[in-house]
Amino acid sequence: MALSARLELKQSQSLVMTPQLMQAIKLLQLSNLDLVAYVDAELERNPLLEREAGDDAPEPEARASDGADGERADWFEDDGAPSPERVAGVLDTDLGNVYPDDAPAPAAEQRGLDAGALVGSEWAGVGSGGGGGEDFDFENVLTGEIGLHDHLAEQIALAIADPALRLVARDLVDQVDEAGYLRADLDAVAERLGIARATVDEVVAVLQTFEPTGVCARDLSECLALQLAERDRLDPAMRALIDNLDLLARRDLAQLRRLCGVDDEDLADMIREVVALDPKPGASFGSTVVQPVVPDVVVRPGPDGGWLVELNAETLPRVLVNQAYYTEVSRTARGDADKAYLGDCLQTANWLVKSLDQRAKTILKVSSEIVRQQDAFLARGVAHLRPLNLRMIADVIGMHESTVSRVTSNKYMATPRGIFELKYFFTSSIASAEGGDAHSAEAVRHRIRQLVDAEDPADVLSDDTLVKLLRDAGIDIARRTVAKYREAMRIPSSVQRRRLKQSLTA
């Protein structure tokens, strides 16, 4: 067979991941906060993009109002010294009535300060935002909530006189977590600071006397011991109890009675006293503010008995392409590089606007189908949540499963029953014992929780009993599945629940 070169034409189809398509896919899976940050970065980079003016657009800065004579309204003369007449005119007050001739001089004059020296201190704040002008903001002058570290630092200055020990104390305080526990390796601290371990222990002992009681403890037992010691209740029996908190967590009351050497009544009183203590003494101080979840979709009842699904406009950044600016600049562009740059900016801006619009439409389409599938949940509660997977939604709306997965990531829906992540509505199915419709795994977990909450303390339900009750309700479920769901919901075993309920009723 001879070898020869020839030219062939072949037609085929392929999907090419263009930068624009990759951008659309990226935007689809971003949360609303990440989307706002991405759009802000594009607004800074692309001169043809501008934010759509809305009701929340910043108002023009208020300019200081001039006086009736057109002079400056900052109460100062040209040389920077405040004029009493100018102050009286602005305040519409006769200073003679405020400071009579026989009255003592103001505090500034008593200190021997001239008026010019006040420009950088008291009087400087009158004409600026520090005084009572139109732009005065209380947030600039009011103090915030004191934090735990600041509270402990104030006590260090009073309790420790040695400057070297103060430095050690400040280093240890910086390693106290929000709950008030000292999370530091004391040996490492001593080595890093070049001091003896006994010195570090001495400082820790001082820190543990600070308020709130129990702060700077290294574990829960030490925290509770500090609080009991302050109440003069740290006797040997109580010490044995807090040294065996694992037994208390398991409600092994028989072992605790032997270790503490007390009877049932005394042990019950001791347990009630320990439960009344504060396991997180530092939690009452200011901490990082938790940012609430902002829903992307809002669902509310419709007038016809159905559900209205709307996008939350607050989470949708609105940007426009400034065509007028592009036309004006393109006329002055001379070089090929300038024209290429403007063309790339225009194409990127158009694609971003189109991608944002497509993202909003896709989220609305997926959310509307989820609401249609989970109508019973919205109307009657979690017990009626239907089994649902990505393929079921994708087949109805004509999209790929990966697209639905990206839409439901980091997106939230506000319903009359609360705010839920979109992925919450996708749960596996559990077969029906009677051959009917399958049950949602989330609904089964809810049913298990209801059974446990309603159980009789004298007749605690075991996992086998839960399986029987669920099968009587038409849910075909295995015992290991019940145990897995129970552990996922942090429900103790039947033995632990029996001990807990007996101790509470003792």
Side-chain angles (χ1 to χ4, degrees):
M1 181 176 181
L3 297 178
S4 62
R6 59 183 181 180
L7 182 63
E8 290 185 354
L9 296 178
K10 184 182 296 185
Q11 186 177 8
S12 62
Q13 292 182 342
S14 62
L15 179 62
V16 180
M17 293 291 290
T18 62
Q20 292 80 8
L21 181 58
M22 295 176 63
Q23 180 193 55
I25 294 176
K26 179 181 179 180
L27 294 181
L28 196 60
Q29 60 188 2
L30 292 179
S31 65
N32 50 38
L33 295 178
D34 294 334
L35 180 65
V36 170
Y38 179 85
V39 171
D40 288 343
E42 288 295 318
L43 287 170
E44 294 180 2
R45 189 185 68 86
N46 196 330
L48 299 183
L49 282 173
E50 62 180 11
R51 194 181 302 276
E52 181 180 353
D55 297 337
D56 54 350
E59 298 181 357
E61 294 184 0
R63 292 180 294 181
S65 59
D66 297 334
D69 53 355
E71 298 178 350
R72 294 170 56 194
D74 56 1
W75 305 359
F76 292 92
E77 298 289 359
D78 294 337
D79 58 354
S83 169
E85 293 76 10
R86 187 70 54 82
V87 175
V90 173
L91 295 180
D92 193 18
T93 303
D94 185 4
L95 292 184
N97 297 332
V98 180
Y99 298 113
D101 295 336
D102 56 349
E109 298 181 8
Q110 292 177 4
R111 293 195 300 267
L113 299 178
D114 58 357
L118 292 173
V119 174
S121 57
E122 289 97 341
W123 285 103
V126 176
S128 62
E134 294 181 359
D135 57 348
F136 180 74
D137 189 359
F138 276 105
E139 294 182 358
N140 295 333
V141 297
L142 294 181
T143 58
E145 185 178 2
I146 187 172
L148 176 61
H149 291 177
D150 296 334
H151 180 67
L152 296 177
E154 293 176 355
Q155 299 179 71
I156 290 176
L158 299 176
I160 302 178
D162 190 346
L165 296 183
R166 284 186 181 180
L167 293 177
V168 178
R170 290 301 300 264
D171 185 272
L172 293 173
V173 165
D174 289 340
Q175 302 182 63
V176 175
D177 62 12
E178 295 181 354
Y181 288 90
L182 179 59
R183 305 299 186 184
D185 184 352
L186 300 187
D187 290 328
V189 172
E191 182 179 357
R192 175 165 49 83
L193 299 180
I195 58 178
R197 169 61 189 270
T199 304
V200 178
D201 293 336
E202 177 185 350
V203 175
V204 170
V206 176
L207 294 178
Q208 290 180 349
T209 62
F210 288 178
E211 292 292 335
T213 306
V215 75
C216 295
R218 285 159 287 186
D219 52 40
L220 179 59
S221 297
E222 189 174 33
C223 177
L224 300 179
L226 292 173
Q227 298 180 50
L228 291 170
E230 185 189 42
R231 303 181 183 185
D232 196 19
R233 285 288 295 118
L234 192 59
D235 52 34
M238 188 66 77
R239 168 63 72 177
L241 176 61
I242 63 174
D243 286 343
N244 295 274
L245 294 178
D246 56 334
L247 296 179
L248 180 60
R250 297 198 303 266
R251 295 294 169 175
D252 191 351
L253 303 184
Q255 183 68 11
L256 286 175
R257 284 196 301 270
R258 288 192 294 270
L259 293 174
C260 298
V262 296
D263 55 16
D264 292 341
E265 184 178 355
D266 290 339
L267 181 60
D269 293 338
M270 293 167 60
I271 292 176
R272 282 192 290 268
E273 191 170 357
V274 170
V275 171
L277 300 177
D278 187 3
K280 297 181 179 180
S284 59
F285 288 83
S287 58
T288 303
V289 178
V290 178
Q291 182 68 28
V293 173
V294 179
D296 300 86
V297 183
V298 178
V299 179
R300 54 189 178 88
D304 57 350
W307 300 97
L308 297 180
V309 184
E310 301 173 348
L311 292 175
N312 187 0
E314 296 181 359
T315 64
L316 300 176
R318 291 167 288 187
V319 294
L320 299 175
V321 181
N322 195 335
Q323 296 285 355
Y325 181 69
Y326 170 76
T327 303
E328 179 182 352
V329 175
S330 60
R331 285 200 300 261
T332 61
R334 298 179 180 179
D336 294 338
D338 295 341
K339 294 179 180 179
Y341 173 73
L342 288 176
D344 180 67
C345 289
L346 180 62
Q347 184 182 18
T348 303
N350 288 329
W351 267 101
L352 178 61
V353 174
K354 182 178 179 181
S355 299
L356 291 175
D357 181 67
Q358 186 64 33
R359 175 184 182 271
K361 292 179 179 178
T362 305
I363 293 176
L364 183 61
K365 185 181 296 185
V366 173
S367 301
S368 299
E369 182 59 25
I370 291 176
V371 170
R372 191 185 70 83
Q373 295 277 0
Q374 301 292 359
D375 174 76
F377 162 77
L378 297 174
R380 291 177 285 178
V382 67
H384 300 273
L385 194 66
R386 292 181 54 192
L388 189 64
N389 54 44
L390 298 176
R391 179 179 292 274
M392 296 172 63
I393 299 294
D395 291 342
V396 174
I397 64 177
M399 293 184 177
H400 196 268
E401 290 182 51
S402 61
T403 303
V404 179
S405 177
R406 291 186 178 95
V407 171
T408 55
S409 298
N410 303 316
K411 311 294 189 307
Y412 293 86
M413 177 185 294
T415 71
R417 297 193 174 275
I419 299 178
F420 301 91
E421 189 178 7
L422 293 185
K423 285 190 177 296
Y424 171 82
F425 299 98
F426 296 89
T427 59
S428 58
S429 60
I430 297 178
S432 175
E434 301 175 355
D437 295 336
H439 300 272
S440 168
E442 186 66 28
V444 173
R445 284 192 285 267
H446 178 70
R447 179 60 178 165
I448 293 175
R449 168 67 70 180
Q450 286 183 326
L451 291 174
V452 171
D453 292 342
E455 66 185 358
D456 188 353
D459 186 17
V460 178
L461 303 177
S462 63
D463 291 347
D464 291 328
T465 305
L466 291 174
V467 170
K468 182 178 182 302
L469 294 175
L470 292 174
R471 288 182 176 175
D472 292 341
I475 303 174
D476 187 10
I477 189 171
R479 181 184 180 279
R480 62 178 178 274
T481 306
V482 171
K484 180 181 68 174
Y485 288 171
R486 177 180 53 76
E487 293 173 357
M489 293 185 292
R490 297 185 178 182
I491 298 177
S493 64
S494 58
V495 176
Q496 294 174 335
R497 298 201 307 274
R498 184 179 296 108
R499 291 175 178 173
L500 176 61
K501 294 178 184 295
Q502 289 176 354
S503 64
L504 294 177
T505 57

